[in-house]
Amino acid sequence: MLKTHITKKLLVILVVFSFINVNPILAENFYEISNEEKINISVYEKITPSIVSIEANTREGVSSGTGCIVDPSGLILTSLHVVKNAGSIEVTTQSGAVYQAVIWSILKNNNDLAIIKIKTNEKLSAVSFGDSETIKVGQRVLTIGNPFGFRGTLTTGIVSRIDYTRNRIQTDAAINPGCSGGPLLNIKGEVIGINQSIYNPDNNRSNIGIGFAIPINEAKKFVKVTLEKTRMSLK
């Protein structure tokens, strides 16, 4: 009787699994998206329309990076080293549209920030800024960039360290070539930093888990002043 009872249980389990395998829609119901995954999805869907990829032609070759739309008029915040001394700058928006850009404003004092501008009739959405003064080591962060040309790539990690001497946010979220100028985000989808560089002591171009971002509060005044001057010039 015991053997028969066990056999019946096995049959029931097999029937259930076979039912799931041939009914993928019902099978999905057995898996519930976690709250953390929901946050990742929400942030990605919210912020991606405001992120662009950048390719600048320089004497050294093509410099690739990422940018954050800061105003629907076509103003884009990025890292200066991505576009510095570029003969031409090409911007691709989430829609796939490609535009020529010009350097509009540069933040001095070695802050490695620039604003470029495109002319477009496309409806653009701007990012939202957070407060980099309130970030804590250990808090979860996300980045969106174009590593090695893979547009719209999401990575996640934490704030690993805050370098108060160099005024940089250190993170283990994957930052690779092509991500410079992209956003470091909190779980609200607010930009708290602009990704700038990775640590590569062995001249390895790939991420080893040590990346750095410029705190967004360094950029806020720069963006505000640039927006004011731009709006005045358009009047």
Side-chain angles (χ1 to χ4, degrees):
M1 292 295 293
L2 179 59
K3 185 176 180 181
T4 303
H5 182 65
I6 293 174
T7 303
K8 286 181 178 179
K9 277 192 172 182
L10 288 172
L11 284 171
V12 169
I13 292 171
L14 287 171
V15 169
V16 170
F17 273 97
S18 64
F19 182 69
I20 292 173
N21 289 333
V22 298
N23 291 274
I25 295 175
L26 293 176
E28 288 179 4
N29 295 330
F30 282 81
Y31 173 74
E32 184 176 347
I33 297 176
S34 69
N35 288 333
E36 184 173 325
E37 289 173 315
K38 288 176 182 177
I39 290 171
N40 293 347
I41 293 168
S42 174
V43 169
Y44 185 79
E45 292 179 347
K46 172 184 176 181
I47 199 74
T48 300
S50 305
I51 307 303
V52 303
S53 64
I54 300 171
E55 287 194 353
N57 292 305
T58 70
R59 291 179 181 178
E60 292 75 28
V62 177
S63 173
S64 299
T66 304
C68 304
I69 298 171
V70 294
D71 189 76
S73 66
L75 295 178
I76 298 164
L77 178 67
T78 189
S79 291
L80 175 59
H81 74 262
V82 173
V83 297
K84 190 175 182 180
N85 299 322
S88 64
I89 304 169
E90 194 172 86
V91 169
T92 305
T93 62
Q94 189 207 23
S95 69
V98 179
Y99 303 94
Q100 293 300 311
V102 295
I103 296 177
W104 199 249
S105 184
I106 293 173
L107 182 61
K108 298 179 180 179
N109 301 323
N110 298 317
N111 279 301
D112 194 29
L113 291 173
I115 290 177
I116 60 176
K117 191 176 190 307
I118 60 174
K119 290 183 179 180
T120 175
N121 293 322
E122 185 177 351
K123 187 176 181 181
L124 302 176
S125 59
V127 296
S128 299
F129 293 143
D131 183 1
S132 53
E133 290 292 327
T134 64
I135 64 173
K136 301 290 183 182
V137 172
Q139 80 175 68
R140 189 152 60 90
V141 290
L142 306 91
T143 75
I144 298 175
N146 307 292
F148 302 105
F150 297 107
R151 265 194 317 126
T153 296
L154 172 73
T155 60
T156 63
I158 61 169
V159 173
S160 305
R161 175 173 169 265
I162 301 172
D163 190 332
Y164 294 101
T165 303
R166 296 180 177 83
N167 199 24
R168 293 293 182 268
I169 303 167
Q170 183 179 321
T171 179
D172 66 348
I175 300 171
N176 284 293
C179 292
S180 290
L184 183 70
L185 304 154
N186 60 23
I187 60 173
K188 295 179 182 178
E190 298 170 332
V191 180
I192 57 172
I194 298 298
N195 297 324
Q196 181 201 38
S197 61
I198 59 175
Y199 182 62
N200 55 350
D202 301 322
N203 295 318
N204 184 345
R205 281 169 51 84
S206 301
N207 176 274
I208 60 171
I210 302 177
F212 299 95
I214 301 169
I216 199 60
N217 287 12
E218 289 291 306
K220 282 182 179 179
K221 186 176 180 180
F222 171 53
V223 172
K224 182 179 179 182
V225 170
T226 302
L227 286 174
E228 288 173 350
K229 288 182 178 180
T230 301
R231 286 164 184 164
M232 285 179 65
S233 66
L234 294 175
K235 288 182 179 180

